[in-house]
Amino acid sequence: MSKLDLSVFEHNTNFISLGTLSQEMIAFISSKKPDIGSRLSPDQQILFWKDRIKHTEEHRNDFMSDALFDMCMEDIPEIIQAPDYISIHPTGKSISFIKDYSQHISVAIKISIDGRMCYRTMYPIMDAQLDNYLDNDRAWRYAPEYL
């Protein structure tokens, strides 16, 4: 999936797949956080549940414009597949895929103990927040050799 089409939820669909993580991305995550990487599989679908739309809409006003929010919402699968940065939450329960637009946009994916993944939310983060993540080894530029 390259673009997220929310209209699929108008027909009694409760969830869709946003795709999977590539073996290269899993290798990158494993090189940073082996305990997280060991739970990931290129066969595991990332699910987007219908109820997450309303939650994500709550972040609309955090974006510079409605147009940017709408574009990023549609781009969620692409943000996951080709992030500029990857961040692991300190609890190890989620991965954020961060892409640079006119703001840094974070797409958070929850990871269960058995490796199931589901979309949680999307929101912009400030430069200082990203810098803090990088300085504290919680986020890493997604290196081109892994692309």
Side-chain angles (χ1 to χ4, degrees), residues 110-141:
K110 181 180 175 184
I111 311 164
S112 67
I113 295 297
D114 63 2
R116 288 176 291 143
M117 296 180 285
C118 62
Y119 167 87
R120 297 298 295 157
T121 194
M122 174 187 73
Y123 53 89
I125 61 173
M126 307 205 35
D127 290 340
Q129 188 174 7
L130 179 58
D131 290 343
N132 179 272
Y133 290 174
L134 293 166
D135 292 345
N136 290 294
D137 209 30
R138 274 190 53 200
W140 310 270
R141 179 167 278 286

PDB file of all heavy atoms in Angstrom, residues 110-141:
ATOM      1  N   LYS A 110       2.407   0.460  17.543  1.00  0.00           N
ATOM      2  CA  LYS A 110       2.498  -0.356  18.761  1.00  0.00           C
ATOM      3  C   LYS A 110       2.959  -1.757  18.380  1.00  0.00           C
ATOM      4  O   LYS A 110       2.504  -2.324  17.384  1.00  0.00           O
ATOM      5  CB  LYS A 110       1.131  -0.412  19.449  1.00  0.00           C
ATOM      6  CG  LYS A 110       1.128  -1.214  20.719  1.00  0.00           C
ATOM      7  CD  LYS A 110      -0.254  -1.229  21.330  1.00  0.00           C
ATOM      8  CE  LYS A 110      -0.282  -2.135  22.548  1.00  0.00           C
ATOM      9  NZ  LYS A 110      -1.624  -2.239  23.106  1.00  0.00           N
ATOM     10  N   ILE A 111       3.854  -2.312  19.207  1.00  0.00           N
ATOM     11  CA  ILE A 111       4.352  -3.674  18.988  1.00  0.00           C
ATOM     12  C   ILE A 111       4.007  -4.508  20.215  1.00  0.00           C
ATOM     13  O   ILE A 111       4.366  -4.154  21.333  1.00  0.00           O
ATOM     14  CB  ILE A 111       5.879  -3.704  18.839  1.00  0.00           C
ATOM     15  CG1 ILE A 111       6.374  -2.681  17.848  1.00  0.00           C
ATOM     16  CG2 ILE A 111       6.354  -5.096  18.451  1.00  0.00           C
ATOM     17  CD1 ILE A 111       7.836  -2.420  17.968  1.00  0.00           C
ATOM     18  N   SER A 112       3.335  -5.619  19.994  1.00  0.00           N
ATOM     19  CA  SER A 112       3.016  -6.504  21.114  1.00  0.00           C
ATOM     20  C   SER A 112       4.219  -7.414  21.393  1.00  0.00           C
ATOM     21  O   SER A 112       5.155  -7.495  20.600  1.00  0.00           O
ATOM     22  CB  SER A 112       1.774  -7.342  20.809  1.00  0.00           C
ATOM     23  OG  SER A 112       2.055  -8.237  19.762  1.00  0.00           O
ATOM     24  N   ILE A 113       4.166  -8.109  22.501  1.00  0.00           N
ATOM     25  CA  ILE A 113       5.243  -9.025  22.887  1.00  0.00           C
ATOM     26  C   ILE A 113       5.481 -10.078  21.810  1.00  0.00           C
ATOM     27  O   ILE A 113       6.614 -10.459  21.548  1.00  0.00           O
ATOM     28  CB  ILE A 113       4.913  -9.709  24.242  1.00  0.00           C
ATOM     29  CG1 ILE A 113       4.872  -8.671  25.358  1.00  0.00           C
ATOM     30  CG2 ILE A 113       5.906 -10.814  24.572  1.00  0.00           C
ATOM     31  CD1 ILE A 113       6.161  -7.951  25.624  1.00  0.00           C
ATOM     32  N   ASP A 114       4.398 -10.525  21.156  1.00  0.00           N
ATOM     33  CA  ASP A 114       4.543 -11.562  20.126  1.00  0.00           C
ATOM     34  C   ASP A 114       4.774 -10.984  18.729  1.00  0.00           C
ATOM     35  O   ASP A 114       4.745 -11.708  17.738  1.00  0.00           O
ATOM     36  CB  ASP A 114       3.346 -12.512  20.128  1.00  0.00           C
ATOM     37  CG  ASP A 114       2.038 -11.824  19.794  1.00  0.00           C
ATOM     38  OD1 ASP A 114       2.038 -10.612  19.515  1.00  0.00           O
ATOM     39  OD2 ASP A 114       0.988 -12.505  19.813  1.00  0.00           O
ATOM     40  N   GLY A 115       5.014  -9.678  18.636  1.00  0.00           N
ATOM     41  CA  GLY A 115       5.387  -9.069  17.363  1.00  0.00           C
ATOM     42  C   GLY A 115       4.252  -8.522  16.526  1.00  0.00           C
ATOM     43  O   GLY A 115       4.487  -8.002  15.433  1.00  0.00           O
ATOM     44  N   ARG A 116       3.012  -8.622  17.002  1.00  0.00           N
ATOM     45  CA  ARG A 116       1.916  -8.014  16.249  1.00  0.00           C
ATOM     46  C   ARG A 116       2.079  -6.499  16.287  1.00  0.00           C
ATOM     47  O   ARG A 116       2.523  -5.938  17.288  1.00  0.00           O
ATOM     48  CB  ARG A 116       0.562  -8.423  16.823  1.00  0.00           C
ATOM     49  CG  ARG A 116       0.202  -9.874  16.528  1.00  0.00           C
ATOM     50  CD  ARG A 116      -1.086 -10.282  17.179  1.00  0.00           C
ATOM     51  NE  ARG A 116      -0.852 -10.314  18.632  1.00  0.00           N
ATOM     52  CZ  ARG A 116      -1.756  -9.932  19.532  1.00  0.00           C
ATOM     53  NH1 ARG A 116      -2.947  -9.518  19.165  1.00  0.00           N
ATOM     54  NH2 ARG A 116      -1.467  -9.978  20.815  1.00  0.00           N
ATOM     55  N   MET A 117       1.716  -5.846  15.191  1.00  0.00           N
ATOM     56  CA  MET A 117       1.902  -4.396  15.095  1.00  0.00           C
ATOM     57  C   MET A 117       0.612  -3.726  14.659  1.00  0.00           C
ATOM     58  O   MET A 117      -0.101  -4.240  13.797  1.00  0.00           O
ATOM     59  CB  MET A 117       2.999  -4.071  14.073  1.00  0.00           C
ATOM     60  CG  MET A 117       4.372  -4.580  14.469  1.00  0.00           C
ATOM     61  SD  MET A 117       5.631  -4.179  13.245  1.00  0.00           S
ATOM     62  CE  MET A 117       5.218  -5.365  11.948  1.00  0.00           C
ATOM     63  N   CYS A 118       0.332  -2.574  15.260  1.00  0.00           N
ATOM     64  CA  CYS A 118      -0.815  -1.788  14.838  1.00  0.00           C
ATOM     65  C   CYS A 118      -0.501  -0.303  14.961  1.00  0.00           C
ATOM     66  O   CYS A 118       0.250   0.118  15.849  1.00  0.00           O
ATOM     67  CB  CYS A 118      -2.081  -2.156  15.602  1.00  0.00           C
ATOM     68  SG  CYS A 118      -1.997  -1.879  17.356  1.00  0.00           S
ATOM     69  N   TYR A 119      -1.073   0.438  14.043  1.00  0.00           N
ATOM     70  CA  TYR A 119      -0.929   1.889  14.035  1.00  0.00           C
ATOM     71  C   TYR A 119      -1.572   2.468  15.284  1.00  0.00           C
ATOM     72  O   TYR A 119      -2.671   2.083  15.665  1.00  0.00           O
ATOM     73  CB  TYR A 119      -1.611   2.450  12.772  1.00  0.00           C
ATOM     74  CG  TYR A 119      -1.794   3.943  12.799  1.00  0.00           C
ATOM     75  CD1 TYR A 119      -0.785   4.786  12.364  1.00  0.00           C
ATOM     76  CD2 TYR A 119      -2.974   4.511  13.276  1.00  0.00           C
ATOM     77  CE1 TYR A 119      -0.949   6.178  12.398  1.00  0.00           C
ATOM     78  CE2 TYR A 119      -3.144   5.884  13.316  1.00  0.00           C
ATOM     79  CZ  TYR A 119      -2.130   6.710  12.878  1.00  0.00           C
ATOM     80  OH  TYR A 119      -2.294   8.070  12.922  1.00  0.00           O
ATOM     81  N   ARG A 120      -0.873   3.414  15.933  1.00  0.00           N
ATOM     82  CA  ARG A 120      -1.414   4.086  17.115  1.00  0.00           C
ATOM     83  C   ARG A 120      -1.839   5.511  16.813  1.00  0.00           C
ATOM     84  O   ARG A 120      -2.951   5.904  17.081  1.00  0.00           O
ATOM     85  CB  ARG A 120      -0.387   4.101  18.261  1.00  0.00           C
ATOM     86  CG  ARG A 120      -0.018   2.751  18.770  1.00  0.00           C
ATOM     87  CD  ARG A 120      -1.181   1.998  19.360  1.00  0.00           C
ATOM     88  NE  ARG A 120      -1.666   2.677  20.552  1.00  0.00           N
ATOM     89  CZ  ARG A 120      -2.887   2.561  21.047  1.00  0.00           C
ATOM     90  NH1 ARG A 120      -3.766   1.783  20.468  1.00  0.00           N
ATOM     91  NH2 ARG A 120      -3.255   3.212  22.123  1.00  0.00           N
ATOM     92  N   THR A 121      -0.889   6.307  16.279  1.00  0.00           N
ATOM     93  CA  THR A 121      -1.192   7.721  16.074  1.00  0.00           C
ATOM     94  C   THR A 121      -0.155   8.376  15.174  1.00  0.00           C
ATOM     95  O   THR A 121       0.865   7.768  14.830  1.00  0.00           O
ATOM     96  CB  THR A 121      -1.281   8.458  17.431  1.00  0.00           C
ATOM     97  OG1 THR A 121      -1.879   9.722  17.238  1.00  0.00           O
ATOM     98  CG2 THR A 121       0.075   8.595  18.092  1.00  0.00           C
ATOM     99  N   MET A 122      -0.441   9.623  14.824  1.00  0.00           N
ATOM    100  CA  MET A 122       0.469  10.436  14.009  1.00  0.00           C
ATOM    101  C   MET A 122       0.412  11.855  14.547  1.00  0.00           C
ATOM    102  O   MET A 122      -0.670  12.374  14.828  1.00  0.00           O
ATOM    103  CB  MET A 122       0.022  10.415  12.546  1.00  0.00           C
ATOM    104  CG  MET A 122       0.818  11.349  11.646  1.00  0.00           C
ATOM    105  SD  MET A 122       0.139  11.443   9.973  1.00  0.00           S
ATOM    106  CE  MET A 122      -1.350  12.414  10.243  1.00  0.00           C
ATOM    107  N   TYR A 123       1.574  12.483  14.681  1.00  0.00           N
ATOM    108  CA  TYR A 123       1.635  13.855  15.181  1.00  0.00           C
ATOM    109  C   TYR A 123       2.982  14.473  14.820  1.00  0.00           C
ATOM    110  O   TYR A 123       3.961  13.756  14.593  1.00  0.00           O
ATOM    111  CB  TYR A 123       1.439  13.882  16.709  1.00  0.00           C
ATOM    112  CG  TYR A 123       2.387  12.964  17.442  1.00  0.00           C
ATOM    113  CD1 TYR A 123       3.642  13.414  17.865  1.00  0.00           C
ATOM    114  CD2 TYR A 123       2.051  11.638  17.698  1.00  0.00           C
ATOM    115  CE1 TYR A 123       4.521  12.567  18.514  1.00  0.00           C
ATOM    116  CE2 TYR A 123       2.918  10.795  18.344  1.00  0.00           C
ATOM    117  CZ  TYR A 123       4.153  11.266  18.751  1.00  0.00           C
ATOM    118  OH  TYR A 123       5.021  10.416  19.389  1.00  0.00           O
ATOM    119  N   PRO A 124       3.043  15.798  14.773  1.00  0.00           N
ATOM    120  CA  PRO A 124       4.330  16.458  14.513  1.00  0.00           C
ATOM    121  C   PRO A 124       5.157  16.546  15.802  1.00  0.00           C
ATOM    122  O   PRO A 124       4.598  16.619  16.903  1.00  0.00           O
ATOM    123  CB  PRO A 124       3.926  17.855  14.035  1.00  0.00           C
ATOM    124  CG  PRO A 124       2.577  18.082  14.602  1.00  0.00           C
ATOM    125  CD  PRO A 124       1.932  16.740  14.781  1.00  0.00           C
ATOM    126  N   ILE A 125       6.471  16.492  15.639  1.00  0.00           N
ATOM    127  CA  ILE A 125       7.356  16.726  16.776  1.00  0.00           C
ATOM    128  C   ILE A 125       8.269  17.903  16.446  1.00  0.00           C
ATOM    129  O   ILE A 125       8.551  18.182  15.278  1.00  0.00           O
ATOM    130  CB  ILE A 125       8.173  15.479  17.172  1.00  0.00           C
ATOM    131  CG1 ILE A 125       9.081  15.009  16.028  1.00  0.00           C
ATOM    132  CG2 ILE A 125       7.254  14.359  17.627  1.00  0.00           C
ATOM    133  CD1 ILE A 125      10.017  13.887  16.434  1.00  0.00           C
ATOM    134  N   MET A 126       8.710  18.579  17.474  1.00  0.00           N
ATOM    135  CA  MET A 126       9.544  19.765  17.297  1.00  0.00           C
ATOM    136  C   MET A 126      11.004  19.362  17.092  1.00  0.00           C
ATOM    137  O   MET A 126      11.407  18.258  17.462  1.00  0.00           O
ATOM    138  CB  MET A 126       9.395  20.673  18.511  1.00  0.00           C
ATOM    139  CG  MET A 126       7.938  20.961  18.765  1.00  0.00           C
ATOM    140  SD  MET A 126       7.492  22.438  19.634  1.00  0.00           S
ATOM    141  CE  MET A 126       8.571  23.692  19.205  1.00  0.00           C
ATOM    142  N   ASP A 127      11.780  20.275  16.516  1.00  0.00           N
ATOM    143  CA  ASP A 127      13.207  20.028  16.313  1.00  0.00           C
ATOM    144  C   ASP A 127      13.883  19.605  17.619  1.00  0.00           C
ATOM    145  O   ASP A 127      14.673  18.659  17.641  1.00  0.00           O
ATOM    146  CB  ASP A 127      13.915  21.281  15.774  1.00  0.00           C
ATOM    147  CG  ASP A 127      13.536  21.620  14.346  1.00  0.00           C
ATOM    148  OD1 ASP A 127      13.027  20.734  13.618  1.00  0.00           O
ATOM    149  OD2 ASP A 127      13.753  22.780  13.948  1.00  0.00           O
ATOM    150  N   ALA A 128      13.590  20.330  18.698  1.00  0.00           N
ATOM    151  CA  ALA A 128      14.226  20.050  19.993  1.00  0.00           C
ATOM    152  C   ALA A 128      13.895  18.636  20.478  1.00  0.00           C
ATOM    153  O   ALA A 128      14.754  17.961  21.065  1.00  0.00           O
ATOM    154  CB  ALA A 128      13.797  21.084  21.029  1.00  0.00           C
ATOM    155  N   GLN A 129      12.676  18.187  20.227  1.00  0.00           N
ATOM    156  CA  GLN A 129      12.282  16.846  20.652  1.00  0.00           C
ATOM    157  C   GLN A 129      13.047  15.793  19.859  1.00  0.00           C
ATOM    158  O   GLN A 129      13.567  14.827  20.430  1.00  0.00           O
ATOM    159  CB  GLN A 129      10.782  16.661  20.490  1.00  0.00           C
ATOM    160  CG  GLN A 129      10.252  15.382  21.086  1.00  0.00           C
ATOM    161  CD  GLN A 129       8.726  15.315  21.029  1.00  0.00           C
ATOM    162  OE1 GLN A 129       8.061  16.152  20.437  1.00  0.00           O
ATOM    163  NE2 GLN A 129       8.178  14.298  21.657  1.00  0.00           N
ATOM    164  N   LEU A 130      13.135  15.981  18.550  1.00  0.00           N
ATOM    165  CA  LEU A 130      13.892  15.040  17.725  1.00  0.00           C
ATOM    166  C   LEU A 130      15.363  15.051  18.135  1.00  0.00           C
ATOM    167  O   LEU A 130      15.982  13.987  18.278  1.00  0.00           O
ATOM    168  CB  LEU A 130      13.739  15.368  16.236  1.00  0.00           C
ATOM    169  CG  LEU A 130      14.522  14.461  15.283  1.00  0.00           C
ATOM    170  CD1 LEU A 130      14.130  12.991  15.446  1.00  0.00           C
ATOM    171  CD2 LEU A 130      14.314  14.918  13.845  1.00  0.00           C
ATOM    172  N   ASP A 131      15.929  16.230  18.344  1.00  0.00           N
ATOM    173  CA  ASP A 131      17.327  16.324  18.778  1.00  0.00           C
ATOM    174  C   ASP A 131      17.545  15.587  20.095  1.00  0.00           C
ATOM    175  O   ASP A 131      18.552  14.896  20.275  1.00  0.00           O
ATOM    176  CB  ASP A 131      17.762  17.787  18.919  1.00  0.00           C
ATOM    177  CG  ASP A 131      17.892  18.496  17.577  1.00  0.00           C
ATOM    178  OD1 ASP A 131      17.962  17.813  16.535  1.00  0.00           O
ATOM    179  OD2 ASP A 131      17.905  19.747  17.589  1.00  0.00           O
ATOM    180  N   ASN A 132      16.594  15.716  21.022  1.00  0.00           N
ATOM    181  CA  ASN A 132      16.687  15.017  22.294  1.00  0.00           C
ATOM    182  C   ASN A 132      16.675  13.502  22.085  1.00  0.00           C
ATOM    183  O   ASN A 132      17.460  12.776  22.693  1.00  0.00           O
ATOM    184  CB  ASN A 132      15.541  15.449  23.212  1.00  0.00           C
ATOM    185  CG  ASN A 132      15.575  14.740  24.535  1.00  0.00           C
ATOM    186  OD1 ASN A 132      15.015  13.651  24.692  1.00  0.00           O
ATOM    187  ND2 ASN A 132      16.240  15.347  25.510  1.00  0.00           N
ATOM    188  N   TYR A 133      15.796  13.020  21.233  1.00  0.00           N
ATOM    189  CA  TYR A 133      15.747  11.586  20.927  1.00  0.00           C
ATOM    190  C   TYR A 133      17.075  11.115  20.352  1.00  0.00           C
ATOM    191  O   TYR A 133      17.595  10.059  20.733  1.00  0.00           O
ATOM    192  CB  TYR A 133      14.643  11.267  19.912  1.00  0.00           C
ATOM    193  CG  TYR A 133      13.228  11.403  20.399  1.00  0.00           C
ATOM    194  CD1 TYR A 133      12.178  11.250  19.502  1.00  0.00           C
ATOM    195  CD2 TYR A 133      12.903  11.685  21.722  1.00  0.00           C
ATOM    196  CE1 TYR A 133      10.855  11.360  19.905  1.00  0.00           C
ATOM    197  CE2 TYR A 133      11.581  11.805  22.135  1.00  0.00           C
ATOM    198  CZ  TYR A 133      10.573  11.644  21.218  1.00  0.00           C
ATOM    199  OH  TYR A 133       9.267  11.755  21.617  1.00  0.00           O
ATOM    200  N   LEU A 134      17.634  11.885  19.418  1.00  0.00           N
ATOM    201  CA  LEU A 134      18.905  11.516  18.790  1.00  0.00           C
ATOM    202  C   LEU A 134      20.046  11.536  19.813  1.00  0.00           C
ATOM    203  O   LEU A 134      20.862  10.609  19.873  1.00  0.00           O
ATOM    204  CB  LEU A 134      19.212  12.458  17.631  1.00  0.00           C
ATOM    205  CG  LEU A 134      18.269  12.359  16.425  1.00  0.00           C
ATOM    206  CD1 LEU A 134      18.451  13.557  15.502  1.00  0.00           C
ATOM    207  CD2 LEU A 134      18.480  11.050  15.673  1.00  0.00           C
ATOM    208  N   ASP A 135      20.094  12.587  20.628  1.00  0.00           N
ATOM    209  CA  ASP A 135      21.155  12.725  21.630  1.00  0.00           C
ATOM    210  C   ASP A 135      21.104  11.629  22.683  1.00  0.00           C
ATOM    211  O   ASP A 135      22.134  11.248  23.241  1.00  0.00           O
ATOM    212  CB  ASP A 135      21.069  14.088  22.330  1.00  0.00           C
ATOM    213  CG  ASP A 135      21.410  15.250  21.406  1.00  0.00           C
ATOM    214  OD1 ASP A 135      21.990  15.018  20.323  1.00  0.00           O
ATOM    215  OD2 ASP A 135      21.075  16.401  21.773  1.00  0.00           O
ATOM    216  N   ASN A 136      19.903  11.129  22.969  1.00  0.00           N
ATOM    217  CA  ASN A 136      19.734  10.107  24.002  1.00  0.00           C
ATOM    218  C   ASN A 136      19.623   8.691  23.442  1.00  0.00           C
ATOM    219  O   ASN A 136      19.187   7.773  24.142  1.00  0.00           O
ATOM    220  CB  ASN A 136      18.522  10.438  24.878  1.00  0.00           C
ATOM    221  CG  ASN A 136      18.807  11.647  25.743  1.00  0.00           C
ATOM    222  OD1 ASN A 136      19.672  11.587  26.616  1.00  0.00           O
ATOM    223  ND2 ASN A 136      18.114  12.736  25.495  1.00  0.00           N
ATOM    224  N   ASP A 137      20.008   8.542  22.182  1.00  0.00           N
ATOM    225  CA  ASP A 137      20.023   7.225  21.532  1.00  0.00           C
ATOM    226  C   ASP A 137      18.659   6.544  21.563  1.00  0.00           C
ATOM    227  O   ASP A 137      18.551   5.339  21.728  1.00  0.00           O
ATOM    228  CB  ASP A 137      21.089   6.333  22.184  1.00  0.00           C
ATOM    229  CG  ASP A 137      21.640   5.313  21.207  1.00  0.00           C
ATOM    230  OD1 ASP A 137      21.679   5.608  19.994  1.00  0.00           O
ATOM    231  OD2 ASP A 137      22.021   4.212  21.652  1.00  0.00           O
ATOM    232  N   ARG A 138      17.609   7.367  21.409  1.00  0.00           N
ATOM    233  CA  ARG A 138      16.236   6.853  21.289  1.00  0.00           C
ATOM    234  C   ARG A 138      15.758   6.895  19.848  1.00  0.00           C
ATOM    235  O   ARG A 138      14.735   6.319  19.514  1.00  0.00           O
ATOM    236  CB  ARG A 138      15.276   7.711  22.126  1.00  0.00           C
ATOM    237  CG  ARG A 138      15.187   7.302  23.547  1.00  0.00           C
ATOM    238  CD  ARG A 138      14.052   8.006  24.263  1.00  0.00           C
ATOM    239  NE  ARG A 138      12.765   7.881  23.589  1.00  0.00           N
ATOM    240  CZ  ARG A 138      11.743   8.693  23.801  1.00  0.00           C
ATOM    241  NH1 ARG A 138      11.833   9.689  24.654  1.00  0.00           N
ATOM    242  NH2 ARG A 138      10.613   8.519  23.165  1.00  0.00           N
ATOM    243  N   ALA A 139      16.487   7.642  19.006  1.00  0.00           N
ATOM    244  CA  ALA A 139      16.146   7.745  17.576  1.00  0.00           C
ATOM    245  C   ALA A 139      17.439   7.762  16.780  1.00  0.00           C
ATOM    246  O   ALA A 139      18.491   8.175  17.278  1.00  0.00           O
ATOM    247  CB  ALA A 139      15.337   9.009  17.302  1.00  0.00           C
ATOM    248  N   TRP A 140      17.321   7.325  15.537  1.00  0.00           N
ATOM    249  CA  TRP A 140      18.474   7.244  14.650  1.00  0.00           C
ATOM    250  C   TRP A 140      18.038   7.621  13.249  1.00  0.00           C
ATOM    251  O   TRP A 140      16.926   7.283  12.828  1.00  0.00           O
ATOM    252  CB  TRP A 140      19.023   5.812  14.632  1.00  0.00           C
ATOM    253  CG  TRP A 140      19.230   5.303  16.009  1.00  0.00           C
ATOM    254  CD1 TRP A 140      20.354   5.410  16.780  1.00  0.00           C
ATOM    255  CD2 TRP A 140      18.269   4.620  16.822  1.00  0.00           C
ATOM    256  NE1 TRP A 140      20.144   4.852  18.009  1.00  0.00           N
ATOM    257  CE2 TRP A 140      18.871   4.353  18.070  1.00  0.00           C
ATOM    258  CE3 TRP A 140      16.948   4.225  16.633  1.00  0.00           C
ATOM    259  CZ2 TRP A 140      18.204   3.704  19.098  1.00  0.00           C
ATOM    260  CZ3 TRP A 140      16.281   3.583  17.663  1.00  0.00           C
ATOM    261  CH2 TRP A 140      16.911   3.321  18.869  1.00  0.00           C
ATOM    262  N   ARG A 141      18.934   8.319  12.535  1.00  0.00           N
ATOM    263  CA  ARG A 141      18.667   8.570  11.121  1.00  0.00           C
ATOM    264  C   ARG A 141      18.642   7.212  10.448  1.00  0.00           C
ATOM    265  O   ARG A 141      19.507   6.384  10.689  1.00  0.00           O
ATOM    266  CB  ARG A 141      19.729   9.477  10.508  1.00  0.00           C
ATOM    267  CG  ARG A 141      19.453   9.724   9.027  1.00  0.00           C
ATOM    268  CD  ARG A 141      20.288  10.842   8.457  1.00  0.00           C
ATOM    269  NE  ARG A 141      19.741  12.157   8.725  1.00  0.00           N
ATOM    270  CZ  ARG A 141      18.683  12.684   8.124  1.00  0.00           C
ATOM    271  NH1 ARG A 141      18.004  11.983   7.247  1.00  0.00           N
ATOM    272  NH2 ARG A 141      18.276  13.899   8.406  1.00  0.00           N
TER     273      ARG A 141
END
